[in-house]
Amino acid sequence: RGLGFTGGTIDKLESIPGFNTSIDIKKFIEQVKNIQVAIVGQMGNLVPADKKIYALRDVTGTVESIPLIASSIMSKKLASGATSIVIDVKVGNGALMKTESDAKKLARLLVEIGKHHNKKVVCFITDMDEPLGYAIGNSLEVIESINTLKGNGPKDLTNLVTKLATYMVSLGKNITIEQAEKEVTENLSNNKAYEKFVELVKSQNGDIDNIKVSNNVISIKSKEEGYIEKIDALRLGENARIIGAGRLSKEETIDFEVGLVLNKKIGDYVKVGEELLKVYINNKTLKEEEFTKRKIELDKREADLIRRENELKKRGNNSHEEELKNVDIKKIFDEKVYTLQVIKKIKIPLIGLGTSRILNIPNVVYNSIKDGLRLIDTAFKYGNEDQVGLGIKKAIDDGLCKREELFIIG
């Protein structure tokens, strides 16, 4: 079940009309034997203490307690007889674990509990500073998951679930990671993954063809032009809860039909008036006029996500862009002394743009290329290759240069 701003798998599955997450233990065992999969909520005799503790965490201020999180996760896995366990530990603004150190602490605790019970446990620590995929809600996320199983999901979501599934298959079948990855990707591409999900839904009385979302949609548009530098995942989760997609206490009900769908992610270029996200609301959970106040708040927050081009100008000579404007770039790169002769007589400029500490990377890269720069330095550890690539792509698309004219150092 969802708690606070986080979503719950059982809540999401119950957004599928008729899907029964409360099947008895006899049917549960029978279903696993027949189709090898079942997803249910906690039964009365399955870790009953955890069920009570979990329901009270919101009112006792212990939602983020690492020992309680670890015990809640592992108690169900151990009680159900799992021998191999793969866990995705989220870290970042939109996760319960806000820092990498806390995420590592939780992951180590989960692994240690598993070792104590002779279980194989693998933990991935993955980023939640921006939402995974584009959908936030219940029905909306189920629809996005179905699209992913059909091979049409968001790239970040597809990559993550492929990685998690690969390790689960590797552990479960005792095969290499390479063999497991091949099986996973094949079953995504040949539609077998989706067919298995359909089988699961039908076995638990769900109607996969009639998942409903609200028809009442509000569009949030950008008032600025630029690149998305940051997305407040926590704020989006809180707003999703406010419109009915989540709960703060165990007594609250969830509106499966409401939620948010992003149109842009970090690094994307946005024009004035272009849509940032859609908000699906229901009058029964929140009247549109009431949401208008929230919409104004969202507009202000979204403005903070766009890095304005004049921001670097305000920084004076501390920015690379300002420093480059004080130099005749074209003259420098035309002079032979600033090139290096290498194999096949390829001339590499000796002066380039370093990208490790600059802000608004796509715009700086684009403007540097526009001014004549052809050597750009990046690295995996900078974590900015995608943003560097956006600036390069825009420069090539605008006809400022050809790809073969650029030297990219990694």
Side-chain angles (χ1 to χ4, degrees):
R1 300 292 178 183
L3 199 59
F5 61 87
T6 62
T9 304
I10 297 299
D11 291 324
K12 297 182 197 307
L13 286 172
E14 287 181 350
S15 70
I16 303 172
F19 193 96
N20 182 11
T21 62
S22 302
I23 59 178
D24 60 43
I25 189 68
K26 183 179 178 181
K27 177 165 173 49
F28 173 77
I29 294 172
E30 181 183 331
Q31 183 173 313
V32 172
K33 286 180 178 178
N34 290 337
I35 69 169
Q36 291 77 53
V37 61
I39 303 179
V40 297
Q42 284 179 259
M43 302 173 194
N45 59 346
L46 179 67
V47 288
D50 175 67
K51 187 175 182 179
K52 292 182 180 295
I53 293 171
Y54 190 82
L56 292 170
R57 275 164 58 194
D58 61 309
V59 294
T60 56
T62 53
V63 170
E64 298 180 12
S65 166
I66 291 176
L68 288 180
I69 292 171
S71 62
S72 179
I73 292 171
M74 293 302 293
S75 61
K76 292 184 282 288
K77 307 293 187 290
L78 298 172
S80 62
T83 56
S84 300
I85 304 164
V86 176
I87 301 172
D88 179 19
V89 178
K90 296 294 186 188
V91 61
N93 176 261
L96 286 176
M97 300 296 101
K98 303 300 182 189
T99 66
E100 188 176 338
S101 61
D102 279 349
K104 287 181 177 178
K105 182 178 178 181
L106 174 60
R108 290 191 192 101
L109 191 52
L110 294 169
V111 171
E112 286 302 315
I113 293 172
K115 283 183 179 179
H116 184 72
H117 292 273
N118 299 313
K119 310 296 184 183
K120 298 176 184 176
V121 180
V122 173
C123 287
F124 285 86
I125 297 176
T126 61
D127 177 61
M128 192 45 77
D129 275 331
E130 70 170 327
L132 182 62
Y134 290 88
I136 303 170
N138 295 280
S139 292
L140 291 167
E141 287 191 39
V142 170
I143 291 169
E144 185 173 68
S145 298
I146 289 171
N147 290 333
T148 301
L149 289 172
K150 290 180 176 180
N152 301 315
K155 185 178 179 181
D156 58 347
L157 177 59
T158 301
N159 289 344
L160 178 58
V161 296
T162 298
K163 181 67 72 174
L164 296 172
T166 294
Y167 274 78
M168 192 68 259
V169 171
S170 174
L171 290 173
K173 301 183 78 170
N174 196 27
I175 59 177
T176 66
I177 294 298
E178 292 74 19
Q179 290 171 321
E181 185 174 19
K182 183 179 179 182
E183 284 197 23
V184 171
T185 53
E186 282 179 356
N187 282 286
L188 271 178
S189 61
N190 63 20
N191 230 30
K192 285 187 177 180
Y194 170 66
E195 290 169 1
K196 178 56 70 174
F197 183 69
V198 171
E199 190 177 14
L200 164 68
V201 173
K202 286 182 178 178
S203 294
Q204 294 185 219
N205 303 319
D207 184 358
I208 202 170
D209 297 318
N210 285 295
I211 301 172
K212 293 181 173 59
V213 297
S214 174
N215 292 321
N216 192 3
V217 183
I218 295 176
S219 178
I220 307 295
K221 292 180 169 58
S222 176
K223 295 181 180 179
E224 304 286 345
E225 181 174 358
Y227 289 91
I228 301 290
E229 185 187 37
K230 180 183 177 183
I231 292 178
D232 193 334
L234 174 59
R235 186 61 177 268
L236 289 176
E238 289 174 340
N239 277 287
R241 179 189 58 76
I242 287 168
I243 63 173
R247 62 168 68 83
L248 266 184
S249 67
K250 56 187 174 66
E251 290 82 16
E252 291 181 7
T253 58
I254 285 179
D255 187 342
F256 299 129
E257 298 179 12
V258 303
L260 317 170
V261 175
L262 306 186
N263 189 47
K264 297 290 181 180
K265 300 291 285 286
I266 291 175
D268 287 347
Y269 189 75
V270 184
K271 296 179 180 179
V272 174
E274 194 172 0
E275 185 175 77
L276 292 168
L277 69 149
K278 286 185 174 71
V279 183
Y280 293 75
I281 65 171
N282 268 333
N283 288 333
K284 62 183 178 182
T285 53
L286 188 68
K287 292 181 180 179
E288 186 168 350
E289 56 266 25
E290 292 173 337
F291 185 76
T292 301
K293 296 177 182 178
R294 300 297 301 173
K295 182 178 180 297
I296 293 171
E297 260 184 72
L298 276 170
D299 281 340
K300 291 178 180 178
R301 297 286 293 189
E302 294 303 332
D304 293 334
L305 307 183
I306 309 297
R307 177 63 64 187
R308 302 167 185 83
E309 290 189 13
N310 64 5
E311 186 170 316
L312 281 174
K313 296 176 184 179
K314 294 178 182 179
R315 295 175 63 86
N317 291 333
N318 291 328
S319 74
H320 286 260
E321 187 174 11
E322 286 299 315
E323 291 169 9
L324 289 169
K325 284 184 178 179
N326 294 328
V327 180
D328 188 345
I329 296 292
K330 292 182 180 179
K331 182 177 180 181
I332 286 179
F333 291 102
D334 282 342
E335 293 182 7
K336 191 175 290 186
V337 69
Y338 287 103
T339 62
L340 174 68
Q341 200 78 15
V342 295
I343 299 174
K344 293 184 180 179
K345 297 184 178 179
I346 296 174
K347 293 183 177 181
I348 300 177
L350 288 178
I351 295 180
L353 173 69
T355 62
S356 65
R357 296 183 179 179
I358 61 174
L359 297 174
N360 199 5
I361 294 171
N363 279 345
V364 174
V365 170
Y366 176 88
N367 289 327
S368 298
I369 293 173
K370 185 177 180 180
D371 286 334
L373 185 144
R374 293 295 181 267
L375 174 64
I376 300 170
D377 172 66
T378 182
F380 174 78
K381 68 178 182 179
Y382 299 168
N384 65 3
E385 294 108 319
D386 55 341
Q387 295 188 58
V388 172
L390 287 168
I392 293 170
K393 184 179 185 300
K394 189 170 189 295
I396 294 172
D397 290 345
D398 289 353
L400 300 182
C401 66
K402 296 179 180 178
R403 174 60 184 89
E404 56 266 28
E405 296 172 1
L406 298 174
F407 295 87
I408 315 298
I409 300 174

